[in-house]
Amino acid sequence: MTAQTLLRGWRGYRAVMSARLREMLQYRTAAVAGMVTQVFWGLIHLMIYQAFYRSTATPQPMSLAETVDYIWLVQALLLLMPWRTDAEIQDMIRTGNVAFELAKPADLYTLWFARILGGRAAPMLLRFPLIYGMAALFFGLRLPASPAAAGAFVLSVLAAFLLSSAITTLMTISLMWTLAGDGVARLTATFASVLSGSIIPLPLFPGNLQRVLNLLPFRGLMDVPFRLYSGNIPLSAFPRELALQLAWALTLIVLGRVLLARGMRRLVVQGG
Amino acid sequence: MPQIVVQDLCKTFRVAERDPGAWGAIKGLFHRRYRHTSALDHISFSIEPGELVGYIGPNGAGKSTTVKVLAGILVPDSGVCQVMGRTPWKQRIPHVSQIGVVFGQRTQLWWDLPVIESFELLRAIYRVPAPVYRHNVEEMVALLGLGELLDTPVRQLSLGQRMRCDLAAALLHRPALLYLDEPTIGLDAVSKLAVRQFVKRLNKERGVTVMLTTHDMDDVEALCRRILLINRGKILLDGTVADLRAQVSRLRRLVVVLREEKDWIETDEARVIGRQGPQVTLEFDPERISAPDLIHHLTSAYGVRDLYVENLPIEEIVAEVYQGAGM
């Protein structure tokens, strides 16, 4: 697939993305239900960390206020997590209909990636303002540390979204081998939720473990943007962090493309 | 020059086999046995632009394998296949942007979106210029009666409505060649007729080449001048519907409705194969007695209210060919 063909097809992929976005925007009730659950979870986390900070005298690597920001951003952007594979693609793979995707004049990886971007953006866009608004009004979420921090946060969230979509696409592609279903997906989601900081903020992990966490792509999903927001990661470190997020996204995209090409080769030779 | 050339196309599938039961499953973990089935066994044919060809055969004969190869989504083991001068699986993207494909069992429309949005999407993917697209949509809406359907989400369409929309979707980029895989499957009589009529017009007026896979012999009889009959990966017959008939039997049928019920119609040359009240069905060999002679003979001997000559239903012919070839 040459860059030229990709560029010429850009409008097609954008159309797929926006179609999926519109399709998913229909699920407004789910967004409200999700909001209620997540505010509830956020409050529980909030109480736990308040108790934790009150009972300790040693200074922590992150202040309570920064932790509170972190917790609420986790809830507001929980869908940044690569939770699940794309249901329709999963279905196509299971039934063998995936071969018919080749009957479209488009690059398959880009088509799927665009689809996943659109499908994941919609519920996030629906939930974020609701939860963010409530948390900021009632539950102690502060505004970004500075206008520059706000900008860094936005860019970093976008990079996190690319990264998480690359992981989702990779998980979806892996179904071509496992078939039985979402084992890989669930495993990845479980690991990702711990390793990204969505359960315990990463700065609160032991030092040795943090060195390992820094080598993994998962912190780019949540930890990086949320600490940029509160100023816990200084702005001076932003370019490096962003570059790292994007490098991981790119790596996983390339890996996904390679795997998909292999899977499809097997499919067109073996025939579904 | 032919639009589709297929020469000595072969494709073998490897199917993993295991013995039944738990022990078989365990054995299968260590040692896989494979059975090789030949889906295409040196298939050759060619299709000229503007033809409307029926591709028929029993289940598992190799029909969809052929269509998949022609559509560029399956790579054969050996053989030549050129569609409009391209090898489908080698030049997939340029190839598929020139063809239209409808698989009756599946839809390429987006389930939760109004039909028109799926069309817009295909326009973007196929890069159809805006004026061409508008013209095509208008034409399709008129031909297929899609007016009110365009703003309906696909999940709310009936099967017949959906099939009409799918046909339109496959034609928005004005392909010169259309593969239809079981386009009338599961449709009611009215929708079937609508689909047939549309395909016929498309072929006649726009000159679109159509390759039609079907189990519905009425489709074939209504649409196709040429038939490719395939079984076990081999082409058994390449010819007209009449050729197909001739291969099986020359026999024709005459249905006679008598003025009053009679016990027996006596003829030497025709055999009674069915009777229902005053209606008697005779089978005769046109080589031994011509239809006019037989009719003359009957009308002079009996009081006849109505009669008509019938061909053997193509269903029966095909079934006979399948059996004759040891299927």
Side-chain angles (χ1 to χ4, degrees):
Chain A
M1 181 54 40
T2 61
Q4 203 197 0
T5 4
L6 274 183
L7 277 180
R8 269 195 293 139
W10 158 245
R11 292 191 42 196
Y13 304 119
R14 198 185 52 191
V16 168
M17 186 163 77
S18 90
R20 189 73 183 133
L21 188 80
R22 270 169 291 150
E23 205 171 30
M24 294 303 287
L25 280 177
Q26 297 176 4
Y27 298 98
R28 291 190 199 99
T29 323
V32 173
M35 181 196 73
V36 174
T37 326
Q38 276 159 242
V39 168
F40 177 74
W41 274 110
L43 285 174
I44 290 180
H45 277 208
L46 189 69
M47 285 185 271
I48 293 173
Y49 285 104
Q50 273 171 343
F52 167 70
Y53 273 86
R54 228 179 285 135
S55 68
T56 177
T58 43
Q60 294 299 318
M62 214 158 72
S63 72
L64 178 60
E66 285 168 353
T67 307
V68 171
D69 291 346
Y70 197 111
I71 292 168
W72 284 118
L73 290 173
V74 166
Q75 296 306 325
L77 289 168
L78 196 64
L79 296 178
L80 268 182
M81 277 313 223
W83 282 126
R84 54 177 70 90
T85 50
D86 186 282
E88 264 171 64
I89 300 178
Q90 182 171 352
D91 215 48
M92 280 194 282
I93 292 173
R94 196 176 46 77
T95 56
N97 280 339
V98 62
F100 295 110
E101 287 282 278
L102 293 177
K104 291 198 185 90
D107 172 60
L108 193 55
Y109 183 90
T110 319
L111 200 65
W112 286 6
F113 193 67
R115 198 192 140 78
I116 284 172
L117 282 179
R120 302 183 70 241
M124 234 169 63
L125 289 175
L126 284 174
R127 284 182 208 195
F128 176 75
L130 295 175
I131 300 171
Y132 184 91
M134 279 191 80
L137 284 175
F138 307 115
F139 306 122
L141 171 62
R142 302 172 304 171
L143 290 177
S146 66
F153 166 72
V154 170
L155 290 177
S156 181
V157 164
L158 289 178
F161 183 58
L162 275 185
L163 175 60
S164 116
S165 299
I167 297 176
T168 306
T169 313
L170 197 59
M171 281 169 14
T172 307
I173 291 167
S174 80
L175 297 174
M176 298 180 92
W177 282 269
T178 60
L179 287 182
D182 45 1
V184 175
R186 285 200 194 167
L187 213 62
T188 314
T190 312
F191 274 107
S193 58
V194 176
L195 303 178
S196 65
S198 84
I199 294 174
I200 301 168
L202 295 191
L204 303 181
F205 274 70
N208 289 341
L209 213 54
Q210 282 201 36
R211 240 166 283 142
V212 179
L213 292 174
N214 285 339
L215 294 176
L216 296 174
F218 300 107
R219 61 184 287 273
L221 292 172
M222 300 202 137
D223 189 66
V224 172
F226 301 168
R227 282 163 65 197
L228 282 165
Y229 179 96
S230 63
N232 183 271
I233 294 180
L235 274 173
S236 57
F238 168 62
R240 192 184 153 272
E241 294 287 6
L242 186 71
L244 213 60
Q245 281 179 301
L246 292 175
W248 268 117
L250 196 66
T251 309
L252 295 175
I253 287 173
V254 169
L255 187 63
R257 295 193 76 94
V258 171
L259 278 181
L260 181 61
R262 278 192 163 191
M264 287 319 283
R265 204 174 316 133
R266 203 176 60 151
L267 200 70
V268 296
V269 173
Q270 254 309 318
Chain B
M1 207 187 94
Q3 201 166 21
I4 303 179
V5 181
V6 172
Q7 254 166 36
D8 280 329
L9 208 61
C10 291
K11 178 79 200 172
T12 309
F13 290 117
R14 212 171 56 148
V15 187
E17 268 189 340
R18 67 173 176 81
D19 298 332
W23 177 237
I26 294 166
K27 262 199 336 202
L29 285 178
F30 299 102
H31 176 74
R32 286 268 176 102
R33 253 187 314 130
Y34 290 103
R35 185 166 47 90
H36 291 265
T37 54
S38 182
L40 299 179
D41 187 2
H42 298 278
I43 293 246
S44 301
F45 60 84
S46 66
I47 294 177
E48 297 289 331
E51 277 197 90
L52 206 171
V53 180
Y55 197 50
I56 59 177
N59 289 324
K63 297 190 299 289
S64 15
T65 307
T66 316
V67 174
K68 279 184 182 169
V69 171
L70 288 175
I73 60 184
L74 195 63
V75 181
D77 298 336
S78 63
V80 177
C81 174
Q82 293 267 305
V83 180
M84 293 180 267
R86 293 196 190 88
T87 303
W89 61 94
K90 284 191 185 138
Q91 293 142 285
R92 179 176 74 83
I93 291 185
H95 166 70
V96 295
S97 46
Q98 301 274 311
I99 60 166
V101 193
V102 177
F103 295 97
Q105 309 265 32
R106 49 196 318 281
T107 177
Q108 60 167 336
L109 305 169
W110 285 48
W111 201 240
D112 282 329
L113 293 179
V115 174
I116 188 73
E117 294 198 26
S118 286
F119 286 2
E120 293 280 348
L121 204 71
L122 289 167
R123 172 176 97 84
I125 290 177
Y126 283 89
R127 292 185 221 120
V128 187
V132 178
Y133 167 77
R134 267 196 305 277
H135 175 258
N136 283 352
V137 171
E138 270 168 35
E139 194 178 342
M140 290 298 151
V141 166
L143 281 175
L144 287 161
L146 303 182
E148 305 113 59
L149 304 182
L150 286 183
D151 296 319
T152 316
V154 174
R155 60 172 140 55
Q156 288 172 16
L157 297 179
S158 74
L159 193 59
Q161 292 170 330
R162 207 208 71 204
M163 180 45 67
R164 280 187 280 150
C165 294
D166 256 311
L167 277 170
L171 293 162
L172 291 174
H173 57 292
R174 287 205 161 246
L177 172 61
L178 181 67
Y179 302 125
L180 295 173
D181 193 19
E182 309 249 4
T184 56
I185 196 163
L187 299 190
D188 62 42
V190 178
S191 305
K192 270 188 189 176
L193 280 180
V195 168
R196 271 180 215 146
Q197 241 167 26
F198 174 74
V199 172
K200 203 165 200 169
R201 279 187 78 169
L202 195 70
N203 174 257
K204 241 197 191 127
E205 291 170 18
R206 276 214 203 166
V208 175
T209 314
V210 181
M211 187 159 170
L212 170 75
T213 309
T214 186
H215 285 294
D216 189 326
M217 292 307 152
D218 292 336
D219 284 351
V220 174
E221 214 152 24
L223 293 173
C224 309
R225 245 163 300 141
R226 181 175 166 203
I227 295 177
L228 288 169
L229 179 70
I230 180 177
N231 189 44
R232 292 200 183 153
K234 287 189 162 89
I235 302 262
L236 293 185
L237 182 127
D238 179 353
T240 62
V241 177
D243 291 339
L244 179 62
R245 285 185 195 293
Q247 206 186 35
V248 174
S249 121
R250 300 188 302 264
L251 296 185
R252 299 249 206 101
R253 285 176 185 177
L254 180 68
V255 181
V256 187
V257 185
L258 300 173
R259 281 195 200 286
E260 58 218 68
E261 280 190 44
K262 282 261 164 97
D263 290 344
W264 190 244
I265 291 186
E266 281 176 46
T267 47
D268 293 333
E269 296 86 358
R271 201 162 59 88
V272 177
I273 58 164
R275 62 167 62 221
Q276 207 177 17
Q279 181 179 312
V280 182
T281 308
L282 299 163
E283 199 169 66
F284 67 100
D285 181 348
E287 301 270 297
R288 285 182 59 204
I289 180 166
S290 72
D293 287 348
L294 181 63
I295 290 167
H296 176 75
H297 172 77
L298 286 172
T299 44
S300 55
Y302 304 96
V304 174
R305 199 165 51 166
D306 192 9
L307 53 76
Y308 52 94
V309 182
E310 212 178 41
N311 278 320
L312 270 187
I314 195 166
E315 303 269 356
E316 285 177 29
I317 293 180
V318 169
E320 223 162 293
V321 174
Y322 291 174
Q323 275 160 11
M327 302 177 199

